[in-house]
């Protein structure tokens, strides 16, 4: 990714009303394997939208 705020997207799905993204942090040794989820009506998100990045 170019920057931490780069958009991450999935293809749009006909009839979808929400998209859920799950991100696992595998680099921060203080919280190994931390999983975060974000649910949106749009088919994209940026890591800066998560509580921890």
């Amino acid at each position: 990714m170019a920057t931490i705020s780069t958009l991450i997207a999935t293809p749009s799905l006909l009839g979808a009303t929400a998209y859920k993204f799950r991100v696992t942090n595998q680099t921060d040794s203080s919280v190994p394997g931390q999983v975060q989820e974000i649910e949106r009506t749009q088919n994209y998100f940026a890591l800066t939208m998560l509580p921890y990045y």
Side-chain angles (χ1 to χ4, degrees), residues 3-52:
T3 69
I4 195 79
S5 59
T6 297
L7 293 179
I8 301 165
T10 188
S12 296
L13 300 173
L14 184 63
T17 58
Y19 295 85
K20 184 182 282 189
F21 299 92
R22 180 179 295 164
V23 178
T24 304
N25 185 340
Q26 296 187 4
T27 61
D28 188 346
S29 60
S30 66
V31 286
Q34 179 186 43
V35 176
Q36 297 182 79
E37 290 185 351
I38 184 170
E39 190 167 326
R40 299 175 40 85
T41 56
Q42 297 89 358
N43 66 324
Y44 63 88
F45 78 104
L47 294 177
T48 54
M49 296 175 180
L50 298 171
Y52 306 100

